[in-house]
């Protein structure tokens, strides 16, 4: 499963990229607004750091507006993925852009029916929001399972990009279900390293080593 970071903070992206764990980045207008920086400047900088897909979201809601914004964004680099909403106009844009060789991430997916439409429109990625689904009393991971089944039934090339990840178990469950990608805030990715038995084991090894009085090198 590919790991994308859901952030617009370049320092966090550089830190994760250095670990070799980062396969791409997802951004949105809200994340870039929190950074306090210029939208295009941030996207350009991220695309230069991360060789994998970098999702940059359009803000227009009509077909012509989304296409104009997409044209500006995709000039930033070949790894730019245009992020569009799951609306009729958004899927029309998806079809046009993927037909022209541009990667498209269809976002704000909350049903298997919507995911089916996105795949038929040629989406490179579909972004089901599991955390937001959980927030309103639905099972976000059941949605991932349904999408995986449908996509496998028809051999769709669209990759399932699990979004709105709230905790490490979302990541583990997504991996068990065969999701292609997960995107999470850097703090969630760092939490994947954590386990109390690992910490206890390291502490025990260090205590025993110090008792020997030896040094390496």
């Amino acid at each position: 499963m590919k790991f994308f970071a859901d952030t617009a903070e370049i320092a966090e992206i550089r830190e994760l990229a250095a670990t070799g764990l980062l396969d791409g980045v997802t951004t949105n207008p809200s994340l870039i607004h929190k950074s306090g920086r210029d939208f295009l400047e941030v996207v350009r900088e991220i695309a230069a750091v991360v060789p994998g897909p970098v999702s940059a979201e359009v803000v227009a809601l009509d077909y012509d507006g989304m296409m104009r914004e997409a044209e500006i964004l995709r000039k930033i680099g070949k790894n730019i993925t245009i992020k569009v909403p799951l609306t009729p106009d958004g899927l029309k844009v998806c079809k046009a852009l993927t037909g022209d060789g541009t990667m498209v991430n269809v976002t704000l997916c909350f049903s298997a029916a919507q995911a089916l439409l996105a795949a038929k429109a040629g989406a490179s990625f579909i972004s089901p929001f599991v955390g937001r689904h959980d927030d309103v009393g639905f099972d976000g991971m059941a949605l991932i399972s349904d999408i995986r089944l449908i996509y496998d039934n028809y051999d769709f090339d669209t990759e399932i990009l699990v979004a709105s990840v709230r905790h490490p178990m979302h990541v583990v469950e997504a991996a068990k279900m065969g999701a292609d990608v997960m995107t999470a805030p850097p703090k969630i990715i760092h939490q994947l390293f954590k386990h109390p038995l690992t910490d206890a084991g390291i502490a025990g090894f260090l205590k025993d080593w110090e008792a020997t009085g030896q040094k390496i090198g």
Side-chain angles (χ1 to χ4, degrees), residues 68-122:
R68 282 194 299 270
E69 293 173 1
E71 187 60 30
I72 294 169
L73 291 170
R74 65 180 181 170
K75 287 180 180 177
I76 291 174
K78 292 182 178 179
N79 59 333
I80 292 296
T81 301
I82 304 301
K83 201 172 180 183
V84 301
L86 212 160
T87 62
D89 275 5
L91 294 189
K92 185 178 176 183
V93 169
C94 174
K95 189 68 173 179
L97 292 177
T98 56
D100 196 27
T102 299
M103 292 183 291
V104 176
N105 178 357
V106 177
T107 190
L108 292 170
C109 172
F110 292 97
S111 76
Q114 290 178 322
L116 176 59
L117 294 176
K120 288 182 68 64

Side-chain angles (χ1 to χ4, degrees), residues 9-61:
E9 295 295 337
I10 193 66
E12 294 179 330
I13 292 168
R14 290 184 188 279
E15 181 183 4
L16 281 172
T19 68
L21 296 175
L22 193 61
D23 300 296
V25 171
T26 54
T27 68
N28 59 50
S30 297
L31 289 172
I32 293 180
H33 174 71
K34 288 177 184 177
S35 77
R37 299 176 58 200
D38 176 75
F39 179 82
L40 291 178
E41 177 185 315
V42 171
V43 173
R44 191 174 292 110
E45 189 169 0
I46 294 172
V49 172
V50 181
V54 175
S55 289
E57 190 165 347
V58 297
V59 294
L61 296 177

Side-chain angles (χ1 to χ4, degrees), residues 125-137:
F125 302 98
I126 182 66
S127 288
F129 278 37
V130 296
R132 292 195 196 182
H133 224 226
D134 291 348
D135 291 344
V136 293

